[in-house]
Amino acid sequence: MEIGIIDVKGKKLYVEYKNLFENRPTIVFLHDSLGSSQLWRDFPDKLSKETQCNTLIYDRLGYGKSFPMFTHERKNDYMETEADVLNTLLDQLDIQEIILFGHSDGGTIALITAAKYPEKIKAVICEAGHIFVEDITIKGVADALHAYQTTNLPERLAKYHGDKVEMIIKAWTEIWLSDRFRNWNIEYLLKDINSPLLFIQGENDEYGTLMQVEKTISQVGGAAEKFIIKGAGHTPHKEVPELVLAKSIEFIGQIVNSRKI
């Protein structure tokens, strides 16, 4: 077990690596655009217990208990860069058999990582990820920015991110609301994803339509399935945790038991 700050090419990241099961895969949890390791709550531990898999949870630079971002300014390929950071972290920890579980931005980073480093990634669970920008996404980000400016959202986020809240809000909203990001698209990478994929999305996701799901599963190189949850929004693992947990356990069990891992 390893918990604490790890230097990944100059980026000081907070990491929780629970290596409890010998010769079993590791589920890597990738948080959303305002998330952190703490905000996963007990979901990783429950999934780990039921699947007998190890877990790696970390805060990306600027989030949670990690060190602050160097700047709030982001390039269009910022999530591709995060996939490279993850790859380096996995090398440093010498983790070989990997299942990715990413939510929102984390889901997108999971897809990119599976495409760029297919030899490492054995399966992907993508929850509410994005592969292109939609009008509903822009509206969702704009609404979140308005909530940040008019409600107690800053105080609530500060419980998890401390004095880094303003920086992560600027980093997230400025890139997604910019004209230059409107044409961002990672569909060209999907053909390189050969590992099994489970795409989970709430039917009422306020940040993306089901086209995100359909276009993803139709273009990946490996086997893919979707799990659309009626009535759920952007965070099914919090809104209906038992449903997401049960489906994830089933998906991981099929992969492990079929000796794909």
Side-chain angles (χ1 to χ4, degrees):
M1 184 178 295
E2 186 167 349
I3 299 176
I5 299 294
I6 294 181
D7 190 306
V8 183
K9 291 187 175 179
K11 297 180 177 181
K12 292 181 170 59
L13 307 181
Y14 175 76
V15 173
E16 295 183 5
Y17 177 34
K18 297 181 180 179
N19 188 14
L20 305 176
F21 304 102
E22 195 171 346
N23 298 319
R24 298 290 288 180
T26 297
I27 306 173
V28 179
F29 290 87
L30 304 168
H31 64 73
D32 62 287
S33 51
L34 298 179
S36 71
S37 54
Q38 281 183 287
L39 281 164
W40 284 105
R41 301 194 175 100
D42 62 352
F43 186 86
D45 285 341
K46 286 183 175 180
L47 189 56
S48 171
K49 179 181 178 182
E50 294 297 329
T51 60
Q52 300 287 284
C53 288
N54 303 302
T55 59
L56 171 64
I57 311 172
Y58 72 102
D59 295 326
R60 296 194 294 279
L61 190 70
Y63 295 87
K65 298 176 184 178
S66 289
F67 278 41
M69 296 175 184
F70 304 129
T71 174
H72 75 275
E73 295 179 355
R74 283 175 167 171
K75 296 180 179 178
N76 279 21
D77 65 350
Y78 78 94
M79 285 183 280
E80 286 88 329
T81 300
E82 292 294 349
D84 296 336
V85 172
L86 172 56
N87 180 61
T88 302
L89 176 61
L90 294 171
D91 284 345
Q92 288 183 205
L93 293 173
D94 193 27
I95 302 176
Q96 305 295 331
E97 304 290 334
I98 298 152
I99 298 170
L100 299 176
F101 192 122
H103 172 237
S104 194
D105 264 19
T108 301
I109 294 166
L111 293 173
I112 296 168
T113 305
K116 295 185 71 172
Y117 305 101
E119 71 284 353
K120 281 193 173 81
I121 309 306
K122 305 306 176 187
V124 178
I125 300 176
C126 174
E127 180 189 18
H130 295 89
I131 59 170
F132 56 92
V133 182
E134 297 180 281
D135 290 341
I136 190 175
T137 319
I138 295 172
K139 182 182 184 302
V141 175
D143 288 347
L145 178 59
H146 180 71
Y148 178 78
Q149 295 167 337
T150 59
T151 71
N152 69 338
L153 182 57
E155 290 77 15
R156 288 188 283 130
L157 290 173
K159 294 178 183 178
Y160 304 99
H161 306 291
D163 60 4
K164 303 186 293 292
V165 173
E166 186 173 354
M167 180 81 86
I168 64 174
I169 285 286
K170 288 184 72 174
W172 176 47
T173 59
E174 286 189 10
I175 185 69
W176 277 91
L177 297 178
S178 67
D179 290 338
R180 64 183 171 89
F181 199 67
R182 189 63 204 241
N183 293 324
W184 171 84
N185 190 303
I186 61 162
E187 288 181 80
Y188 72 98
L189 286 171
L190 298 178
K191 67 182 185 306
D192 298 323
I193 299 176
N194 297 314
S195 54
L197 167 69
L198 170 63
F199 202 129
I200 300 172
Q201 182 145 330
E203 186 181 49
N204 299 328
D205 191 327
E206 58 271 35
Y207 290 94
T209 72
L210 296 181
M211 287 301 294
Q212 302 285 347
V213 183
E214 299 298 341
K215 287 197 170 188
T216 299
I217 65 173
S218 67
Q219 295 182 74
V220 293
E225 63 175 302
K226 61 185 176 182
F227 184 53
I228 309 302
I229 304 175
K230 289 185 177 181
H234 189 59
T235 55
H237 73 276
K238 291 182 180 178
E239 298 166 49
V240 284
E242 296 308 318
L243 278 180
V244 176
L245 190 64
K247 184 63 179 180
S248 300
I249 291 167
E250 175 192 344
F251 176 72
I252 293 171
Q254 289 172 347
I255 294 164
V256 175
N257 295 336
S258 67
R259 300 186 181 278
K260 291 180 182 177
I261 290 182

